[in-house]
Amino acid sequence: MNNALRLDRPGWRTWVLWGVGLLAYVVSIVNRTSLSAVGVDAATRFHADASALSMFAVIQLFVYGAMQIPVGLLLDRFGARPMIAIGMVLMALGQLVMAFADAVGIGILARVLIGAGDAAIFPSVLRVIATWFPAQRAPLLVQLTGIIGQFGQIIAVVPLAALLHATSWSVAFGSVAGLGVLFAVLTYAIIRNRPPERRTDLVDTSVDTQTGAIRVVTSAADLRQGFRESWAHPGTRLGFWSHFATPFAGTAFMLLWGFPFLTAGEGLPAATASLIMTTLVLFGIVCGPVIGALSSRHPTRRSRWLVLPVVVFQALVWIAVIAWPGPAPVWLLIVLMFALSTGGPASMIAFDHARTFTPSHRLSTATGIVNGGGFLAALLAILFIGVAMDVQGAGTPATYSLDAFRLAFLTQVPLWLVGGIAIAVERGRTIRHVGGFDKLPR
């Protein structure tokens, strides 16, 4: 009874554990988006054209996505404490390599290390929530972790860029490396895998990384069979395409191409461009709870009322910016930031689809498939934009132009079209599969 009470009422130590894990996630976002405001500087330093510059982000995202299943296996085996510390060390090594890199190949190696380390942080923090907090608190804490963590993008866009321009490339990225080492020590010293009163050595457990819930696993399913069965369900495919179509435009903008577009393309001062990009994060923090509440209130209309409108909204606003004669006014760019900010919260609906339609023993597999949709679209968007810039002869900062950026960002339209059509098709198949609207889980 006393143990149950302690788990239902987390003490100060539990909140400190979560707070340290949360700060570690903020640092991981800083590392992930550390090239977002220095893309022009990176192109100059590495003498890289647009395609080569795209590879920094493409390979980083690829490594992040590819590491999700191995990270989950290692988390089950060793727990969150060593995984967060190792992730921080890997990111610190990556930033240290980046601090002294002057060739594209070495820069890509740095982003590989950063992507691998980043992949370990968020799932580990969710495991801390799952094992230290009662189940009824987990959903709120997961949402707060995701929302607060996005402040790392602001740190990457504003202070890091200011530090680089005030000092040097090596000092700026070396400082981020030092921050990673600090948090590797801090997290290993403070975070513990589980409360001392909770015994998990008697059973195998799995953690739902979206709700934070722990489930007992009594048998291990074959990975290939689980993948086939998960993909065969139209609800999983609906989640995959929902995650494919909604967040990629914001990811491509924040991770690499936004700052060069605003400065070299739209002709804005660096400070103004940083401020505009910051509004994307702030809008996302506001949109998240609203879209989440609407999704919970209207579970049978999530795709039609939320996901598809977000896809259309992003596409229309981007087209308006591209079609504007001359540089777009600041107010329209802020509207663009608002449109892009809806993509992240809307993409979380994809995981709702996975939870709603997938049996618990296949939930992790379905979640991984859904998560892969967003990474795939972001990789394609970043790569397409870079290739389009090169094809136009605008692959270096000296040749960047507004017209070139306009045509390059149009390469996102096919991704929205493919994703939107697939969502509509799989939505219909899902409804038929479960027997109609009235049979959809609420």
Side-chain angles (χ1 to χ4, degrees):
M1 180 65 69
N2 290 336
N3 288 347
L5 287 174
R6 289 178 65 183
L7 290 175
D8 288 338
R9 297 179 179 178
W12 66 268
R13 182 185 181 190
T14 301
W15 291 107
V16 169
L17 288 173
W18 174 66
V20 171
L22 175 61
L23 290 175
Y25 179 52
V26 172
V27 173
S28 77
I29 297 294
V30 173
N31 280 270
R32 182 188 305 174
T33 56
S34 56
L35 282 181
S36 59
V38 296
V40 174
D41 301 87
T44 301
R45 180 177 180 86
F46 294 105
H47 307 288
D49 59 19
S51 296
L53 193 61
S54 293
M55 292 307 296
F56 284 108
V58 166
I59 291 178
Q60 178 184 333
L61 286 177
F62 175 80
V63 172
Y64 183 100
M67 287 294 294
Q68 290 304 299
I69 293 177
V71 163
L73 295 172
L74 291 171
L75 269 172
D76 286 337
R77 177 67 179 86
F78 298 107
R81 182 192 187 194
M83 291 302 296
I84 295 178
I86 291 172
M88 286 293 165
V89 170
L90 285 174
M91 287 189 291
L93 287 174
Q95 297 292 12
L96 188 62
V97 172
M98 181 63 76
F100 297 100
D102 56 5
V104 170
I106 300 175
I108 288 176
L109 171 62
R111 303 315 288 182
V112 167
L113 292 170
I114 292 168
D118 183 20
I121 306 304
F122 189 57
S124 298
V125 176
L126 295 187
R127 190 176 184 92
V128 169
I129 294 172
T131 53
W132 280 88
F133 288 89
Q136 64 268 26
R137 290 181 183 261
L140 175 60
L141 289 171
V142 169
Q143 291 291 331
L144 287 175
T145 300
I147 290 172
I148 297 173
Q150 299 313 305
F151 280 100
Q153 296 186 52
I154 299 177
I155 297 173
V157 167
V158 182
L160 179 60
L163 178 62
L164 185 148
H165 296 140
T167 56
S168 67
W169 178 278
S170 296
V171 170
F173 284 91
S175 298
V176 179
L179 190 63
V181 172
L182 172 63
F183 270 86
V185 175
L186 185 64
T187 54
Y188 196 80
I190 294 179
I191 290 178
R192 295 294 181 268
N193 286 340
R194 65 184 66 89
E197 60 270 17
R198 177 174 287 171
R199 297 281 306 279
T200 59
D201 54 322
L202 301 179
V203 295
D204 291 330
T205 60
S206 67
V207 178
D208 176 353
T209 58
Q210 296 303 310
T211 65
I214 296 179
R215 290 182 172 84
V216 175
V217 178
T218 56
S219 63
D222 179 77
L223 180 60
R224 288 173 296 178
Q225 178 183 350
F227 181 89
R228 288 195 301 268
E229 291 176 352
S230 295
W231 182 254
H233 198 297
T236 301
R237 298 197 299 271
L238 175 60
F240 173 89
W241 289 111
S242 297
H243 204 256
F244 179 97
T246 46
F248 74 83
T251 301
F253 196 90
M254 285 298 295
L255 202 60
L256 186 62
W257 288 116
F259 200 82
F261 167 71
L262 293 175
T263 54
E266 293 288 340
L268 296 175
T272 304
S274 296
L275 183 60
I276 289 174
M277 292 182 70
T278 299
T279 63
L280 192 157
V281 180
L282 298 178
F283 282 139
I285 293 171
V286 174
C287 290
V290 175
I291 291 178
L294 291 173
S295 176
S296 298
R297 189 169 299 178
H298 303 285
T300 63
R301 297 176 175 87
R302 292 178 296 204
S303 297
R304 189 171 62 183
W305 285 10
L306 294 173
V307 176
L308 286 175
V310 162
V311 172
V312 173
F313 182 38
Q314 291 184 79
L316 289 178
V317 176
W318 247 127
I319 291 172
V321 171
I322 291 170
W324 192 273
V330 172
W331 67 263
L332 182 56
L333 294 174
I334 292 177
V335 173
L336 175 64
M337 296 304 99
F338 177 72
L340 296 181
S341 75
T342 62
S347 72
M348 293 297 102
I349 296 174
F351 296 105
D352 290 337
H353 293 319
R355 291 197 300 273
T356 299
F357 300 111
T358 304
S360 59
H361 68 279
R362 290 204 305 265
L363 181 60
S364 295
T365 303
T367 299
I369 292 172
V370 169
N371 207 21
F375 285 110
L376 175 61
L379 292 176
L380 293 175
I382 292 171
L383 185 59
F384 288 171
I385 293 168
V387 171
M389 294 291 286
D390 281 343
V391 168
Q392 298 174 82
T396 62
T399 57
Y400 287 165
S401 69
L402 181 57
D403 288 339
F405 274 116
R406 284 170 167 167
L407 291 177
F409 279 111
L410 277 177
T411 60
Q412 299 174 111
V413 173
L415 299 176
W416 280 313
L417 287 174
V418 170
I421 293 171
I423 290 169
V425 170
E426 296 300 344
R427 180 178 184 271
R429 289 174 176 172
T430 302
I431 291 170
R432 291 192 295 272
H433 184 85
V434 301
F437 275 117
D438 57 331
K439 299 295 183 12
L440 284 173
R442 294 178 180 268

